[in-house]
Amino acid sequence: TVRNCNVTMSASSPGYGIQFNSVNNSFIINNTANSNSFGIYLASSSNNNLTNNTASLNAYGIYLYSSSNNQIINNTANLNINYGIYLSSSSNNTVSLITANSNNYGIYLTSSSNNNLTGNTANSNTNTGIYLTSSSNNTLTNNNIWNCTDTTYGCLYLMGSNNNIFTGGVINLSASNLIYFRSLSASSNNIFKDITLLGATKNDTFLTGTSINNTFLNVSYNNSVGKEYVASGSELIRKWYLDVNVT
């Protein structure tokens, strides 16, 4: 267990603020790991609890590699050079109540599936708020992404990611698109429901390539642009709730 520590080195030189390598069933609680190469790093580690930590001003804030069944709750990962939260080949983790603001990428999943991301905030990140690549069967609930300054892609980015469920939350203020499907690898069978889309400079949603059977259920478009781009090989299904009173 690592508790109540303050670890600072240099974000420009290799170094780990807190590192778990093949550590299971332990705790990282109430620590500050700022200005390191990696703030908090887990490799091949499972069933750990990371709570109430700050990992800011690093190259990478909180980084999981090949680590599963961890609880990452109520942590702050701001102003990191690359990623606030980064999951690589990591599954069945809970990432909840995270503040990941003013990084390059807020929350980034690659080859990571069956994770639960709930109640997170990813604001003012330079590239993308939440990014999924080759990551499927994840559940994302009540996450908010605001003020995305990248002018090419979008606040929420999917590439080669299928069967994810996105529920609730607000995606607001983008210098480009709000939801972006990249054409290099199709993302299909994703469901978006009860989400509010606001303030897109370009499109509320942008589907390229052959991303099919993606569904918007009760997704609100309330900005002045209100546009969709769906490439000829892609598919976006739109559904809304119907209220019926029977007397």
Side-chain angles (χ1 to χ4, degrees):
T1 297
V2 181
R3 188 190 300 265
N4 299 327
C5 293
N6 190 333
V7 185
T8 299
M9 289 186 286
S10 172
S12 61
S13 61
Y16 301 90
I18 299 170
Q19 180 183 15
F20 275 11
N21 197 334
S22 300
V23 176
N24 302 318
N25 303 302
S26 193
F27 297 87
I28 301 175
I29 299 177
N30 293 332
N31 301 285
T32 298
N34 294 347
S35 300
N36 307 284
S37 183
F38 295 86
I40 299 173
Y41 181 92
L42 273 63
S44 302
S45 298
S46 299
N47 298 301
N48 298 291
N49 185 305
L50 284 68
T51 302
N52 295 335
N53 301 287
T54 297
S56 298
L57 297 165
N58 305 284
Y60 301 86
I62 298 175
Y63 191 115
L64 272 65
Y65 174 74
S66 193
S67 295
S68 299
N69 298 300
N70 297 286
Q71 302 285 316
I72 306 169
I73 300 172
N74 197 32
N75 298 281
T76 298
N78 296 339
L79 295 165
N80 294 287
I81 296 170
N82 296 311
Y83 306 94
I85 307 292
Y86 187 96
L87 274 63
S88 175
S89 301
S90 296
S91 299
N92 298 301
N93 298 286
T94 296
V95 180
S96 179
L97 303 176
I98 300 296
T99 301
N101 297 342
S102 302
N103 308 283
N104 190 11
Y105 295 87
I107 301 173
Y108 190 106
L109 276 64
T110 178
S111 301
S112 295
S113 299
N114 298 301
N115 297 287
N116 190 328
L117 281 67
T118 303
N120 302 297
T121 299
N123 295 344
S124 301
N125 293 287
T126 305
N127 200 313
T128 299
I130 298 178
Y131 187 115
L132 275 66
T133 178
S134 301
S135 296
S136 300
N137 299 302
N138 297 287
T139 300
L140 295 89
T141 305
N142 293 331
N143 299 288
N144 294 314
I145 313 172
W146 290 60
N147 190 29
C148 309
T149 58
D150 175 71
T151 58
T152 304
Y153 300 116
C155 293
L156 174 60
Y157 180 112
L158 283 80
M159 183 171 69
S161 298
N162 306 307
N163 301 302
N164 298 288
I165 300 176
F166 303 83
T167 304
V170 177
I171 305 176
N172 186 21
L173 295 177
S174 174
S176 54
N177 309 286
L178 295 174
I179 300 175
Y180 186 90
F181 289 69
R182 186 70 185 272
S183 62
L184 294 178
S185 181
S187 297
S188 299
N189 305 308
N190 297 286
I191 297 173
F192 302 80
K193 58 183 180 180
D194 301 328
I195 297 173
T196 300
L197 304 178
L198 300 165
T201 300
K202 294 181 180 178
N203 298 279
D204 291 295
T205 183
F206 191 100
L207 278 73
T208 61
T210 55
S211 296
I212 62 171
N213 197 36
N214 293 290
T215 300
F216 276 15
L217 174 59
N218 197 42
V219 173
S220 300
Y221 298 70
N222 292 322
N223 63 40
S224 59
V225 179
K227 296 192 299 183
E228 299 172 349
Y229 177 86
V230 182
S232 59
S234 291
E235 180 183 28
L236 178 62
I237 302 165
R238 304 159 196 82
K239 298 179 180 180
W240 285 266
Y241 299 129
L242 175 64
D243 291 329
V244 177
N245 294 319
V246 179
T247 58

